[in-house]
Amino acid sequence: ATERTALFMFFGATGDLAYRKLYPSLFNLYKKGSLRTHFAVIGTSRQTLDDDKFRVAVKKSLADSGNRADSKEASDFISHFYYQAHDVTDTAHYSVLKDAAEKLDKKYKLQGNRIFYLSMAPQFFGTIAKDLKAQGLMSTNEDAFNRLVIEKPFGRDFDSAKQLNDALSNSFEEEQIFRIDHYLGKEMIQNIEALRFGNTLVESLWNNRYIDNIQVTLSEKLGVEERASYYDNSGALRDMVQNHIMQIVSLLAMEQPVAFTDVDIRAEKVKALRSLRVYNVADAATNFVRGQYGSVDNQPDYRHEDNVPADSTTETFVAGKLLFDNYRWSGTPFYVRTGKMLADKFTRVDVVFKRPLVDIFAFPQSQNTPLAANVLTIFVEPHAGFSLQLNAKTNDAGFSTEPIKLDYLVDAEKSKETPEPYERLLHDVLKGDGTNFSSWPEVSYAWKFVDQIRRVWDLQAPNFPNYTPHSMGPAAAEELIQRDHREWIYRL
Ligand code: NAD
């Protein structure tokens, strides 16, 4: 791999995400040669640590993620890590970070390239961005880059997202801001583009003439676990639909980009999102349903989880129908679902084709069951692969048909080699490739859509809990699709 040159400054360097994902991913980039000699990491957070203690923690993070952390390679890598305690609200103290950055820049010949990664509560993003610029931490070297990476959530509605974005854009240009949506780092989500634009067979049928509906399912098996205090303020609509589901849907719905570049792909995603119908009150109420999990056996229901108020009206499940008002998709709905405490952990897209207009096998004396729809499934997690359901003749004496499946599953060996989302995304940041990050226009259209649903839901108290753990959600999610004479393809 091409060696890249940069100084990483991690804010929230002692947090869960940093230890669990960011350091192991950086180490993978090191092992592959994208990072070698000319890089350094400054970890910063409120905690008091020194370089040595920080390095011990980083070493543990590597070991916990399955690396041989006592190897020479690991210790060489870790020797590039430095720590500086810093309260991000203390403006005067940024000068300490600035000095540390300049020292390391010289020591490792980093040419002024800087990546600021904000892995902490979003309420601090604005302040940090302001002081990075005001206190002179951004490189002024003309040939160098300054990049800002930020974690989700990006606001809690359009207004707060806009405020946050305005704050960031006082210091950084849009092309310098990398908004993480880790679903965009997943192998099979990236594969949507290859599947569509690499195959005549697929793309020539990819429209409302041949596709009856598209279903996106992001189901989680676990409940809210220890994230309750964050989650209860957010809910499934904000936590999953506004970002991950909207990103997946826009990749499925967009037109073919002029070229395979971030600028061209983003332009098409934005165009698709602009033609997504924003619902009025009545349509929002019929086209989206919510749920909250009840209790089963000795497991508490959502309202009895730690740190959840006993009268919480936060949804742990959402299902909805999305409609695009454009030439390609008019009349072909996208159904989406996501929730916690469901039957299984699964991320998949089911593309349901229209049945043949005439079923010639259904002549009067025939015993044949009606032809099944062709379904193209994209398996994202836990297994990666595709499946295509076709109709074929059964091998018995008469003439009947049955659905068969052509399956391609990525084998275990290959799956193990597949880079983790964070490794890919960090690599993209190093290259300056914004393809797999959400741009501000995408984020803003997604919020405007989601805000309408939220507005309607906030008018009426829900009847929670309304679904049994380990099911596929509330009955309302079934009704939502059955009303349109359709069914969820993925079911129990
Ligand atoms: P965390 O609570 O584990 O870590 C927060 C970090 O911020 C700690 O290092 C803490 O010391 C530091 N910090 C807090 N206040 C500070 C201050 N005033 N000045 C300096 N440092 C301060 O959080 P996390 O789980 O690592 O999440 C980080 C970000 O990533 C959040 O935006 C979160 O929403 C997002 N995220 C996390 C995950 C995950 O799996 N943990 C997944 C997706 C997104």
Side-chain angles (χ1 to χ4, degrees):
T2 315
E3 189 193 336
R4 310 279 168 178
T5 301
L7 172 75
F8 291 87
M9 200 176 278
F10 286 108
F11 290 86
T14 58
D16 167 69
L17 184 76
Y19 286 138
R20 230 165 19 84
K21 300 284 185 193
L22 304 181
Y23 306 144
S25 298
L26 273 192
F27 186 44
N28 285 340
L29 292 176
Y30 182 78
K31 286 191 281 191
K32 292 176 186 172
S34 301
L35 297 174
R36 273 284 126 183
T37 346
H38 303 293
F39 82 99
V41 174
I42 299 180
T44 168
S45 85
R46 234 174 356 189
Q47 254 169 284
T48 321
L49 287 182
D50 56 20
D51 292 348
D52 285 338
K53 288 208 180 93
F54 182 48
R55 289 173 185 179
V56 170
V58 173
K59 185 172 174 184
K60 181 166 184 313
S61 134
L62 300 189
D64 289 350
S65 55
N67 290 288
R68 282 200 34 229
D70 48 8
S71 64
K72 168 148 188 342
E73 191 174 38
S75 50
D76 286 348
F77 170 73
I78 294 169
S79 73
H80 291 248
F81 280 65
Y82 298 82
Y83 187 82
Q84 181 59 59
H86 169 74
D87 184 332
V88 296
T89 58
D90 181 355
T91 297
H93 199 259
Y94 279 80
S95 62
V96 176
L97 293 179
K98 182 180 175 189
D99 293 346
E102 282 168 4
K103 232 171 69 196
L104 292 176
D105 197 310
K106 280 205 193 77
K107 174 166 178 168
Y108 291 99
K109 301 195 176 54
L110 304 178
Q111 300 165 11
N113 293 333
R114 302 220 167 141
I115 295 173
F116 305 99
Y117 197 122
L118 312 192
S119 176
M120 52 189 295
Q123 76 207 70
F124 298 117
F125 292 173
T127 316
I128 301 173
K130 175 176 75 54
D131 281 334
L132 287 177
K133 183 165 189 193
Q135 307 308 316
L137 273 84
M138 291 167 68
S139 167
T140 48
N141 175 352
E142 263 189 26
D143 302 320
F145 59 72
N146 288 291
R147 293 175 187 151
L148 181 73
V149 188
I150 56 177
E151 275 295 334
K152 77 170 200 181
F154 201 90
R156 54 179 285 112
D157 51 24
F158 174 75
D159 290 341
S160 55
K162 169 110 179 33
Q163 239 175 37
L164 171 56
N165 202 60
D166 288 347
L168 300 183
S169 47
N170 282 330
S171 302
F172 291 86
E173 303 291 329
E174 174 67 19
E175 2 13 298
Q176 296 177 311
I177 304 175
F178 294 75
R179 298 176 194 78
I180 295 266
D181 184 321
H182 70 280
Y183 273 72
L184 294 177
K186 292 183 192 279
E187 173 75 5
M188 294 307 290
I189 296 298
Q190 299 191 356
N191 225 323
I192 292 173
E193 288 149 304
L195 178 74
R196 287 191 55 193
F197 305 118
N199 297 292
T200 312
L201 182 72
V202 176
E203 191 56 17
S204 59
L205 304 180
W206 204 262
N207 58 53
N208 52 8
R209 283 168 67 198
Y210 303 107
I211 294 180
D212 181 76
N213 73 93
I214 295 186
Q215 305 178 7
V216 177
T217 303
L218 275 57
S219 69
E220 294 179 77
K221 202 170 178 172
L222 297 177
V224 69
E225 307 286 296
E226 63 290 329
R227 282 177 75 228
S229 34
Y230 160 75
Y231 191 83
D232 196 65
N233 265 310
S234 158
L237 185 67
R238 290 189 177 106
D239 189 47
M240 299 295 284
V241 178
Q242 187 276 334
N243 39 36
H244 311 314
I245 288 190
M246 289 302 225
Q247 283 294 331
I248 295 170
V249 165
S250 63
L251 288 169
L252 293 165
M254 72 181 182
E255 296 299 313
Q256 174 164 305
V258 174
F260 197 62
T261 65
D262 52 2
V263 175
D264 292 313
I265 293 169
R266 282 174 168 190
E268 296 306 334
K269 285 165 72 190
V270 171
K271 217 167 81 194
L273 289 170
R274 281 179 61 195
S275 55
L276 177 65
R277 188 182 307 173
V278 177
Y279 290 134
N280 59 28
V281 172
D283 289 344
T286 39
N287 291 336
F288 267 77
V289 303
R290 54 183 157 164
Q292 188 187 74
Y293 60 81
S295 79
V296 72
D297 302 330
N298 289 325
Q299 269 176 28
D301 62 12
Y302 176 72
R303 288 173 176 172
H304 289 88
E305 299 272 21
D306 291 344
N307 298 318
V308 174
D311 58 352
S312 170
T313 56
T314 300
E315 76 285 356
T316 60
F317 177 95
V318 185
K321 171 158 92 169
L322 279 63
L323 297 170
F324 287 93
D325 290 313
N326 61 24
Y327 194 74
R328 188 186 281 263
W329 295 118
S330 178
T332 292
F334 286 58
Y335 297 96
V336 304
R337 305 182 270 188
T338 183
K340 291 194 179 292
M341 203 62 103
L342 297 178
D344 216 343
K345 178 165 172 60
F346 236 102
T347 303
R348 59 187 273 165
V349 177
D350 294 290
V351 181
V352 186
F353 288 85
K354 293 188 174 171
R355 292 186 169 78
L357 293 179
V358 178
D359 182 351
I360 63 163
F361 307 114
F363 48 89
Q365 307 79 14
S366 134
Q367 301 292 312
N368 203 20
T369 49
L371 290 169
N374 297 141
V375 180
L376 173 62
T377 301
I378 304 169
F379 296 105
V380 180
E381 290 168 316
H383 309 293
F386 301 112
S387 164
L388 178 61
Q389 175 173 283
L390 302 172
N391 290 303
K393 190 185 163 304
T394 57
N395 63 351
D396 55 18
F399 198 103
S400 31
T401 62
E402 63 178 350
I404 53 134
K405 280 183 179 157
L406 306 185
D407 284 329
Y408 167 73
L409 280 187
V410 177
D411 63 45
E413 204 50 38
K414 226 168 148 184
S415 290
K416 256 198 282 172
E417 292 163 11
T418 308
E420 285 250 4
Y422 274 98
E423 178 187 335
R424 256 183 232 275
L425 298 176
L426 279 165
H427 190 233
D428 287 346
V429 173
L430 275 167
K431 287 191 303 179
D433 181 345
T435 305
N436 298 308
F437 299 83
S438 350
S439 66
W440 167 242
E442 293 163 44
V443 173
S444 63
Y445 285 113
W447 273 125
K448 283 180 180 164
F449 177 84
V450 157
D451 280 354
Q452 277 300 95
I453 316 292
R454 193 69 257 172
R455 209 161 281 148
V456 172
W457 284 356
D458 288 344
L459 295 174
Q460 208 181 7
N463 192 8
F464 285 165
N466 63 350
Y467 71 93
T468 319
H470 319 306
S471 69
M472 281 309 289
E478 295 296 326
E479 288 152 18
L480 173 85
I481 194 163
Q482 280 167 8
R483 201 173 59 212
D484 296 343
H485 309 288
R486 297 185 174 107
E487 291 207 336
W488 294 107
I489 298 295
Y490 175 54
R491 47 179 50 259
L492 288 183

